Amino acid sequence: MATASARHILVETEEACQDLKEQIENGQDFGAIAAEFSACPSGKSGGALGTFSPGQMVKEFDDVVFTGELNKVHGPVKTQFGYHLIEITKRVD
């Protein structure tokens, strides 16, 4: 069964999400940004979500994690929870 590991940052607006993505692309640390700005409790651990399988996250999240490029910041990705930046750190197909 496929598994993946990822970290994410969750914010309320697409604009905030895009701003944080630009900060990361300009050299800011993903984990530090997650710790400061993410609305998800995982922010305290740099946004790390651990290892999970398809179907354990909402569809929009899974679609990115199980098809996207590794070690790249993806997003903004809109879900029922808000807007995410997602970095896929590992995937086993």
Side-chain angles (χ1 to χ4, degrees):
M1 174 179 249
T3 61
S5 298
R7 55 188 188 163
H8 81 133
I9 298 168
L10 173 64
V11 294
E12 288 186 15
T13 69
E14 186 173 7
E15 295 77 18
C17 200
Q18 190 60 49
D19 179 59
L20 295 176
K21 183 176 185 178
E22 289 172 16
Q23 289 182 44
I24 293 164
E25 289 173 343
N26 288 324
Q28 294 295 316
D29 180 69
F30 189 103
I33 295 284
E36 186 172 348
F37 295 102
S38 185
C40 181
S42 69
K44 291 178 179 54
S45 58
L49 296 169
T51 301
F52 51 92
S53 301
Q56 289 187 276
M57 302 292 180
V58 293
K59 181 183 183 323
E60 299 89 345
F61 203 93
D62 268 5
D63 288 348
V64 171
V65 170
F66 289 99
T67 63
E69 185 179 335
L70 292 176
N71 302 308
K72 177 182 177 212
V73 178
H74 300 271
V77 176
K78 186 177 185 334
T79 71
Q80 68 200 46
F81 302 105
Y83 292 86
H84 306 258
L85 293 178
I86 303 169
E87 182 184 45
I88 309 149
T89 55
K90 182 179 177 185
R91 184 171 54 230
V92 178
D93 294 320

